[in-house]
Amino acid sequence: MTLYLVHLPGYEGRAEFDLDADWFQLSDDLFVFDADLTPSKLYHRIKWNLNHHGPLLVAPMDGRPKFKGMRPGALKWLQGVPH
């Protein structure tokens, strides 16, 4: 499994993904995914799943991020990801 940072600028609200991956919504337009997919496959599945036509960034993460001000439960979710 790989951790990915996903940025959907302009996306607002709570997302629902029908993907074979665990994910957490950090803020309105920022997500972390734990997926056994290539960056390209995750990118296309998110794009098709949301029918999103705006900007989209999918970037693999090396390690766990440092952050503050994200949605409640973000750190707990990341601590539960087995890496």
Side-chain angles (χ1 to χ4, degrees):
M1 299 295 253
T2 302
L3 281 178
Y4 292 96
L5 185 65
V6 175
H7 188 216
L8 291 158
Y11 188 84
E12 295 181 8
R14 299 290 289 184
E16 292 298 327
F17 296 100
D18 185 19
L19 302 172
D20 193 18
D22 290 327
W23 58 276
F24 189 88
Q25 188 170 2
L26 297 170
S27 64
D28 283 345
D29 60 2
L30 195 60
F31 303 82
V32 176
F33 280 79
D34 186 30
D36 192 20
L37 300 168
T38 65
S40 180
K41 285 184 180 182
L42 182 59
Y43 170 91
H44 284 96
R45 288 185 186 182
I46 290 170
K47 188 172 114 176
W48 298 328
N49 194 263
L50 290 181
N51 196 24
H52 181 72
H53 300 288
L56 170 59
L57 168 78
V58 173
M61 295 189 326
D62 184 17
R64 291 196 166 72
K66 293 288 288 179
F67 56 84
K68 93 176 201 178
M70 299 297 152
R71 287 207 166 118
L75 183 59
K76 185 176 181 177
W77 185 86
L78 279 168
Q79 289 171 339
V81 173
H83 287 279

